[in-house]
Amino acid sequence: MKEPRESIALTADNATFSPSRHGLLSLDVCLPDGTVQSYERVVAVRAFPLTSPESYIVIREPSTSANKEGQEIGTVEHLVDLPEPQAALLRKELERRYFTPEIIRIHSMRQRRGVLYIEADTEAGTVSIVVPEVVINMNVRLLEDGRILITDTDGNVFVVTHPERLDKTSQRKLGSFV
Amino acid sequence: MLPLDTLSQSCIDALSALGVSMEDITCAVTLDRLADGGAGTGELALSLPLSAFFLFEQGQLTRLDYTPDTLFLLDQYRTESALLMIRAGESRQVAYLSNKPRGKVAAMIDIWQRARDGKQTSPDHPMFKQLASKCATCGKPYRFQKPTCHCDQKQKGQLRRLLSFFRPFRLQLAAVLFCLVLTSLLSLLPPLISGQLLYDQVISPPTYDEAGNMLTGRLHEVQYIFWVIGLLLLVDLLLIGVGILQSRANATMSNRVSQRMKSNVFSAMSRLSVSYFNQQPTGSLISRVNYDAEHIRDFYIDGAPRFIVNMLQFLCMAVLLFLMNWQLSLLLLIPVPLIVVIFRRRLPLLNSAYTRQYRRQSSMTAMLNDSLSGVRVVKAFAKEQEESDSFFRKSTRLYEANLHTNLISLTIFPIVGLLIGLTSSLLWGVGGVEVMGGRMTYGELTAFISYAAMLMAPLNFFSNFTNLLTRTLNSAARIFEVLDAVPDISEREQPVELERLQGRLEFQEVSFGYRPERKVLQDISFRIAPGEHIGLLGHTGSGKSTIANLIARNYDVSDGRILLDGVDVRDLSLATLHRNIAIVSQEVFLFRGTILDNIRYGRPDATKEQVEAAARVAGAHDFIMRLPDCYETFIGNGSRGLSGGERQRISIARALLTDPAILILDEATAAMDTETEQLISAAMETLIENRTAIMIAHRLSTLKNCHRLMAIEEGKLQEIGTHEELMEKKGTYYRLFTTQNDQLLKVMSGE
């Protein structure tokens, strides 16, 4: 049981993000007491991934088997406040981490024995999405801004950003589940 | 190779080009990934003999050697995971994968890790069983421990299997069928009687054809009017009589069948292991017992009979129509296909509109339920207006959906009605000409038109029948899934039966995870002597309750063994386990019933004296005597009127009565204030006397009388020993103890 550490605000003044030798995200941070701490790899997490993807980015130590629950290092309040190319680097890491294929066209969407099967074209190619029975209302989620998030049985997330821009057939298929 | 995935031929070729034979490959996983524009699949192979991973992606084979100090770990992203390799303080990604193969890759890392720790992994290791959680054919997740996916099951087979529920009612079934056939035939009579008999032969004056044969008016006398009307009434009476008979037979039979089905499902469900109930929300289970059985019953009581009736009527009417006048019947071929097309094209639309309506309805109900059960919070935060607004939004969405379904159905059915109207005008027109030409009698025409109109009902029914069938088959599938499920906690062929355990407990390198990619316990080993009292402490989520669950065999270990009196718990009979192990947990569940019933739940044969004695020891006797009906006071599952401490004391009495060899107290007093805890502590002391006890608590004062203490941290056994030993060690326990002591001192000094 480690002593919890104070989480600090990460700004252009005290934090430097850089790519690690193998293309992952490294961080050097100057702690309030003046010591500089280097992390070979850090993990970036969005505190509000749905509504504020560019703000409140929490930076954590990675969880490894030796250090099972990585601790929080600090928070980047707004990505835009970071200088380039650091902001771009962080953004790239976040995009990878929150990669959510956009559904372009829905070929079929049918419910059989309570399980929802979707065949759809996404920006990542054609996919078969299987949504388990009991939680369809939670796994096909209509957000306030009109986006539709679909979480499949493996935990993969797909999104329809503008349902109204889909072709008519896809809209109709999606319509009865939202 | 261990049973994960198999390698593709091109990957095998690439491997052998590198000089790697298949014997060297320990296991392999097919990776699929979605990012990078869906850059296709890859394959990952682990070779323990060569100490290397091989990644085969886009025709390229990469070899990654690892050394004993290398770490592999799986970092989970949202729709992706990354396999990372950490070596000499540097991390690099090995591969990206979608979430689909994540469990398998985790298992692969596990195999590697076990090998590093000098452990062999055999193909029958439980982890492979745990991984098979999805059907290989349809990708649908199994909702049960044993794969019971029905994706390849024939629908016909299911209907036949459903019929087996009706087997004891063969006679009633035959009677019902007979009645149905009779009804369909009888209902064909009235148009014939009123048209061809009453009008043509009785009311019309006699007419003759060219050959001088009498065409109409054969019975042109007043008395026959009454005879024919009598006949009509008789047919009606018969219809009603047969209908009543059939409904009665059907109702008795179907209610019995649905009752049998419900109890079968319920008892099958009760047999399943705890993990099953964790996966399923209670609501879905309740609806499985209730509604699915009802759906099936509805199908057999309503759908199937109506199908037979409609089918029979349709065929008979079609034959009759052609026999009466085949030229006119040809006219029917114009609207009938049109109506069929309308039904087939528009009804799916209507159904999807209904689905949406249903969804929005349940979404609104859920919101209503939330808001009303949380009304205190709503009021406390003065959020009444917001809740109303949100309800208004939901109800607007429902209103839109309702309107939409109505609009669809309000256009379909009038159009169909119009078509029918047009057809009958056409029939009247063409038929009228025929009648005037003497090629047809007026009675024939009215009978013909009646039949033509009656033809629509079966058409409408058939277009909806597919839906009914689908719904029934869905319900059947769900019910059969429960009936067929095999609990993953099952007894050996010949389990060891022990009347009374001594209470010796041993964990040997036990590892466990509810899911393969997340280990909750790792390599836990300890030994507890009979009668010893052990305090188990650790943070929330460190795995304490999991240990309790494993001892009671609510789950089976992923690795290692748990021994009770030297016997593996998996070899013991479940009855032995249940008789000898009791868990008293923080959440006390009291069933609806009397206090007496609740106390002797675990031992229904206990005498009233024994119940009272147990209650006295548990410190419950006193408050029970103050209740209106003492031991026979009825308590509901909400147990209103009983305080947390009182409920807990009842549950202690319940545990005392079963007299277990091993008792697990899982935060039993956590929800109580210190004073109540003091009250119960005496009861607790008696409870654990002379038996092995494992006490889980985060308040250390609860554990002060334990012989030894055990600290669990992040799934690992951190330390075990007496209070003095652990204080000496200055480890986890020492820190916890000093923190809690400091807080107490601060409170006492008034800081």
Side-chain angles (χ1 to χ4, degrees):
Chain A
M1 288 167 217
K2 297 174 294 282
E3 293 303 318
R5 183 179 45 201
E6 199 77 22
S7 174
I8 57 171
L10 299 174
T11 59
D13 301 328
N14 65 358
T16 319
F17 291 96
S18 58
S20 80
R21 209 160 74 88
H22 297 289
L24 298 164
L25 189 64
S26 294
L27 170 68
D28 297 294
V29 57
C30 179
L31 297 175
D33 60 8
T35 56
V36 173
Q37 178 101 41
S38 292
Y39 298 92
E40 192 260 337
R41 181 169 79 92
V42 291
V43 170
V45 184
R46 286 171 173 157
F48 307 98
L50 300 180
T51 49
S52 301
E54 293 271 291
S55 302
Y56 313 107
I57 313 295
V58 172
I59 309 294
R60 303 175 65 92
E61 276 181 89
S63 307
T64 63
S65 54
N67 178 17
K68 209 172 169 192
E69 298 294 330
Q71 279 200 35
E72 181 166 324
I73 300 164
T75 307
V76 177
E77 201 159 325
H78 299 293
L79 212 48
V80 285
D81 296 343
L82 281 187
E84 293 296 342
Q86 293 196 40
L89 195 66
L90 203 52
R91 201 169 279 130
K92 197 180 118 213
E93 162 83 11
L94 284 169
E95 264 160 28
R96 180 104 229 176
R97 190 162 281 271
Y98 288 91
F99 170 66
T100 311
E102 172 86 40
I103 292 178
I104 304 163
R105 177 199 298 275
I106 295 170
H107 294 297
S108 83
M109 196 158 178
R110 63 205 170 84
Q111 207 172 2
R112 197 156 165 266
R113 310 224 166 117
V115 180
L116 180 61
Y117 297 87
I118 308 171
E119 300 286 331
D121 283 343
T122 68
E123 55 181 356
T126 305
V127 290
S128 307
I129 306 170
V130 181
V131 181
E133 171 190 42
V134 282
V135 281
I136 283 175
N137 277 326
M138 278 158 68
N139 282 355
V140 180
R141 242 176 104 187
L142 175 67
L143 303 184
E144 291 279 314
D145 60 5
R147 272 183 296 167
I148 295 170
L149 283 189
I150 301 174
T151 310
D152 78 358
T153 146
D154 295 303
N156 294 322
V157 186
F158 302 88
V159 67
V160 187
T161 315
H162 300 288
E164 70 284 356
R165 286 191 208 159
L166 286 177
D167 56 289
K168 281 275 169 273
T169 333
S170 304
Q171 274 193 39
R172 189 165 51 79
K173 285 179 174 137
L174 195 59
S176 60
F177 291 93
V178 183
Chain B
M1 282 210 317
L2 292 173
L4 286 175
D5 282 335
T6 48
L7 285 171
S8 70
Q9 193 54 47
S10 46
C11 180
I12 294 172
D13 291 344
L15 279 168
S16 58
L18 262 185
V20 181
S21 79
M22 284 311 287
E23 266 114 72
D24 289 331
I25 301 295
T26 315
C27 56
V29 177
T30 309
L31 310 175
D32 70 30
R33 62 195 255 211
L34 294 161
D36 301 332
T41 59
E43 284 164 84
L44 184 70
L46 164 67
S47 168
L48 289 176
L50 299 176
S51 299
F53 276 91
F54 295 94
L55 178 70
F56 185 69
E57 249 182 355
Q58 289 159 350
Q60 292 288 317
L61 189 71
T62 327
R63 176 177 174 146
L64 290 146
D65 288 293
Y66 61 82
T67 49
D69 63 331
T70 314
L71 282 177
F72 285 93
L73 75 108
L74 198 56
D75 200 3
Q76 188 190 337
Y77 298 173
R78 187 195 257 170
T79 305
E80 254 199 326
S81 297
L83 177 62
L84 298 169
M85 174 166 137
I86 304 168
R87 194 169 159 188
E90 282 192 347
S91 323
R92 59 182 289 181
Q93 69 268 59
V94 177
Y96 281 117
L97 41 131
S98 95
N99 282 338
K100 207 180 213 167
R102 189 170 62 216
K104 285 185 177 169
V105 173
M108 192 182 226
I109 297 173
D110 207 35
I111 293 167
W112 156 79
Q113 200 169 5
R114 289 165 58 83
R116 186 194 60 184
D117 301 344
K119 278 192 248 170
Q120 283 278 329
T121 308
S122 68
D124 53 5
H125 192 277
M127 79 165 106
F128 298 112
K129 198 177 120 197
Q130 207 174 6
L131 274 171
S133 61
K134 262 177 282 173
C135 174
T137 347
C138 65
K140 178 180 149 188
Y142 297 131
R143 278 162 295 181
F144 303 96
Q145 291 98 357
K146 177 94 188 295
T148 54
C149 189
H150 287 267
C151 64
D152 52 348
Q153 196 174 333
K154 294 276 179 319
Q155 301 203 327
K156 234 164 67 190
Q158 291 208 23
L159 283 180
R160 194 171 308 141
R161 201 173 153 197
L162 279 180
L163 265 179
S164 70
F165 280 101
F166 289 81
R167 196 162 296 145
F169 306 99
R170 276 195 207 97
L171 228 74
Q172 280 106 314
L173 206 59
V176 167
L177 277 177
F178 177 73
C179 291
L180 282 175
V181 173
L182 207 60
T183 317
S184 7
L185 294 181
L186 278 176
S187 62
L188 290 175
L189 284 179
L192 275 182
I193 297 175
S194 61
Q196 277 164 309
L197 195 61
L198 183 64
Y199 187 82
D200 283 356
Q201 306 303 338
V202 183
I203 298 175
S204 304
T207 50
Y208 303 89
D209 66 359
E210 288 117 31
N213 292 322
M214 204 176 204
L215 275 181
T216 61
R218 283 192 188 97
L219 305 167
H220 192 54
E221 277 173 55
V222 174
Q223 56 151 330
Y224 285 116
I225 290 186
F226 300 107
W227 280 110
V228 174
I229 287 175
L231 191 63
L232 270 178
L233 280 175
L234 186 71
V235 170
D236 274 351
L237 276 176
L238 263 175
L239 263 175
I240 291 170
V242 174
I244 290 176
L245 259 174
Q246 182 248 324
S247 311
R248 287 183 73 104
N250 216 346
T252 354
M253 176 172 70
S254 68
N255 283 318
R256 287 283 288 281
V257 168
S258 104
Q259 178 236 348
R260 269 167 57 111
M261 216 175 314
K262 281 181 194 176
S263 11
N264 280 1
V265 172
F266 183 73
S267 63
M269 227 177 235
S270 319
R271 234 182 35 233
L272 293 173
S273 326
V274 178
S275 57
Y276 167 71
F277 293 94
N278 286 348
Q279 291 158 12
Q280 306 276 323
T282 318
S284 130
L285 295 178
I286 291 174
S287 81
R288 211 168 270 224
V289 177
N290 265 335
Y291 302 120
D292 285 335
E294 296 287 325
H295 282 167
I296 292 170
R297 192 195 70 160
D298 285 352
F299 178 76
Y300 280 98
I301 188 178
D302 190 45
R306 273 177 52 200
F307 179 77
I308 297 170
V309 170
N310 280 303
M311 200 65 190
L312 213 64
Q313 281 189 340
F314 188 79
L315 289 177
C316 290
M317 283 192 292
V319 171
L320 270 173
L321 285 172
F322 269 87
L323 282 179
M324 284 165 80
N325 192 323
W326 65 269
Q327 293 97 331
L328 266 187
S329 305
L330 288 181
L331 274 181
L332 281 177
L333 290 182
I334 308 168
V336 167
L338 220 60
I339 289 171
V340 171
V341 167
I342 290 179
F343 277 150
R344 285 215 69 88
R345 292 189 65 108
R346 291 283 122 177
L347 282 184
L349 215 65
L350 188 62
N351 285 326
S352 90
Y354 272 127
T355 319
R356 175 169 41 203
Q357 190 182 334
Y358 169 75
R359 260 174 219 298
R360 294 195 176 166
Q361 172 78 55
S362 53
S363 158
M364 195 182 89
T365 314
M367 192 247 143
L368 203 58
N369 186 16
D370 248 24
S371 184
L372 290 181
S373 39
V375 69
R376 279 170 198 82
V377 184
V378 173
K379 294 243 173 253
F381 287 89
K383 285 286 176 196
E384 293 93 338
Q385 190 54 48
E386 279 85 345
E387 290 291 313
S388 302
D389 292 349
S390 145
F391 184 77
F392 180 75
R393 275 197 301 278
K394 295 259 181 209
S395 61
T396 312
R397 288 180 65 78
L398 176 61
Y399 147 80
E400 285 163 4
N402 280 339
L403 189 63
H404 190 211
T405 36
N406 284 342
L407 288 182
I408 296 178
S409 66
L410 287 179
T411 31
I412 296 182
F413 293 106
I415 286 178
V416 171
L418 183 71
L419 273 173
I420 295 172
L422 280 177
T423 317
S424 86
S425 311
L426 199 64
L427 287 177
W428 277 113
V430 180
V433 174
E434 292 280 293
V435 172
M436 283 167 81
R439 285 175 296 274
M440 196 181 187
T441 62
Y442 176 72
E444 272 171 4
L445 182 62
T446 53
F448 190 94
I449 289 171
S450 308
Y451 286 135
M454 278 164 71
L455 211 55
M456 293 306 144
L459 285 183
N460 191 4
F461 174 80
F462 290 137
S463 48
N464 263 324
F465 187 69
T466 359
N467 262 328
L468 188 69
L469 196 66
T470 322
R471 196 183 72 169
T472 310
L473 288 174
N474 283 343
S475 290
R478 278 198 289 267
I479 280 192
F480 288 143
E481 265 176 352
V482 178
L483 292 180
D484 295 343
V486 176
D488 63 354
I489 306 292
S490 54
E491 290 184 335
R492 288 270 145 94
E493 287 278 307
Q494 272 163 333
V496 180
E497 192 76 49
L498 295 175
E499 189 47 45
R500 175 85 192 155
L501 293 177
Q502 296 169 331
R504 186 150 36 88
L505 174 68
E506 187 175 354
F507 269 52
Q508 291 182 344
E509 298 181 336
V510 168
S511 292
F512 176 76
Y514 295 95
R515 283 181 297 149
E517 64 260 37
R518 202 177 155 78
K519 282 257 158 66
V520 182
L521 295 179
Q522 253 177 4
D523 263 340
I524 304 259
S525 299
F526 60 84
R527 211 180 275 204
I528 300 176
E532 194 177 12
H533 298 163
I534 296 283
L536 192 55
L537 47 107
H539 282 303
T540 325
S542 57
K544 293 170 305 206
S545 296
T546 307
I547 290 186
N549 270 323
L550 289 178
I551 298 171
R553 211 183 161 210
N554 284 338
Y555 297 91
D556 269 342
V557 294
S558 312
D559 205 3
R561 299 200 300 166
I562 297 174
L563 305 178
L564 278 176
D565 284 11
V567 187
D568 193 315
V569 285
R570 285 168 293 192
D571 294 333
L572 284 169
S573 76
L574 290 177
T576 303
L577 284 175
H578 295 161
R579 201 167 42 233
N580 285 287
I581 300 174
I583 301 185
V584 176
S585 65
Q586 177 181 346
E587 269 176 61
V588 178
F589 191 87
L590 299 180
F591 293 96
R592 288 170 58 84
T594 62
I595 290 187
L596 178 70
D597 295 337
N598 266 293
I599 293 181
R600 62 177 178 193
Y601 186 74
R603 230 181 96 189
D605 58 336
T607 63
K608 287 181 178 136
E609 288 76 26
Q610 285 170 320
V611 170
E612 198 190 307
R616 272 183 202 281
V617 178
H621 178 75
D622 197 42
F623 82 80
I624 293 175
M625 292 318 284
R626 284 197 304 268
L627 292 173
D629 292 323
C630 297
Y631 279 91
E632 292 182 329
T633 306
F634 188 87
I635 44 177
N637 43 17
S639 308
R640 110 201 101 77
L642 291 186
S643 73
E646 289 167 343
R647 290 157 57 85
Q648 190 59 270
R649 273 176 277 178
I650 290 181
S651 87
I652 291 172
R654 188 194 277 170
L656 262 175
L657 203 58
T658 50
D659 189 26
I662 295 175
L663 186 76
I664 301 163
L665 300 169
D666 188 356
E667 313 245 3
T669 54
M672 278 162 227
D673 54 67
T674 323
E675 207 169 322
T676 319
E677 195 184 345
Q678 285 300 321
L679 274 173
I680 312 190
S681 76
M684 288 281 193
E685 287 298 314
T686 339
L687 181 59
I688 61 177
E689 232 168 64
N690 300 323
R691 52 187 117 241
T692 309
I694 295 171
M695 292 189 257
I696 302 174
H698 44 235
R699 220 179 292 163
L700 295 183
S701 56
T702 321
L703 305 176
K704 59 182 184 295
N705 292 329
C706 287
H707 300 123
R708 278 193 299 164
L709 298 154
M710 202 155 81
I712 305 282
E713 198 176 317
E714 289 172 354
K716 287 186 183 137
L717 181 61
Q718 222 60 26
E719 50 192 13
I720 181 165
T722 60
H723 169 77
E724 288 75 22
E725 282 168 10
L726 295 187
M727 288 302 282
E728 191 91 350
K729 210 174 160 193
K730 293 203 185 322
T732 310
Y733 177 73
Y734 172 80
R735 274 203 305 279
L736 269 177
F737 186 83
T738 40
T739 327
Q740 292 198 1
N741 238 12
D742 283 353
Q743 279 169 351
L744 203 62
L745 287 175
K746 271 185 197 163
V747 172
M748 292 203 300
S749 61
E751 253 180 61

